[in-house]
Amino acid sequence: MKTPPDKRIVFTLYSHPMKDLRQRWKATLAFEPGSTDDSDANLVINDGCGDPIAEGTFELAGTKIPVVAGRGTLRCGDFAKGKHEQGIWLYRKGCAPVPGALTFE
């Protein structure tokens, strides 16, 4: 995997609708210009109120990403390897897992 040398690529993902805003989430995964398989993409994830997810696990591209204080990283090569995996989930202690999907803004 290699991203363009002059473009930052950002994916935005949202949870499925939930009645409780704290159960909802919005995630962005950013690939910096010139990223390669060995680079890390930065994940930022907040709940439906806009607060960072304190702690959890975000599943994307077949990889489980630890999240602390609303942040995590995903190796670009792992993203490319799992790009056909369909499951997108946020797991938090004491909460039911919440699925989500890629969106275009």
Side-chain angles (χ1 to χ4, degrees):
M1 172 180 174
K2 185 163 178 142
T3 62
D6 59 342
K7 280 191 178 174
R8 182 174 192 252
I9 298 171
V10 179
F11 289 99
T12 303
L13 306 108
Y14 281 99
S15 68
H16 290 189
M18 305 291 288
K19 287 183 182 181
D20 181 355
L21 288 177
R22 296 263 173 220
Q23 293 295 312
R24 295 182 190 189
W25 52 263
K26 174 187 176 186
T28 58
L29 184 67
F31 298 86
E32 296 304 323
S35 292
T36 65
D37 282 346
D38 293 324
S39 303
D40 285 333
N42 293 308
L43 174 73
V44 176
I45 183 165
N46 296 312
D47 66 19
C49 296
D51 296 325
I53 298 297
E55 187 175 355
T57 302
F58 190 67
E59 184 178 350
L60 175 68
T63 302
K64 292 193 174 178
I65 306 162
V67 174
V68 176
R71 301 201 177 266
T73 58
L74 173 63
R75 199 173 137 282
C76 294
D78 291 338
F79 176 80
K81 198 181 319 180
K83 66 185 174 197
H84 296 293
E85 294 291 329
Q86 295 181 15
I88 301 171
W89 293 88
L90 177 62
Y91 303 94
R92 291 179 277 184
K93 187 175 181 178
C95 298
V98 179
L102 176 66
T103 188
F104 298 93
E105 294 186 320

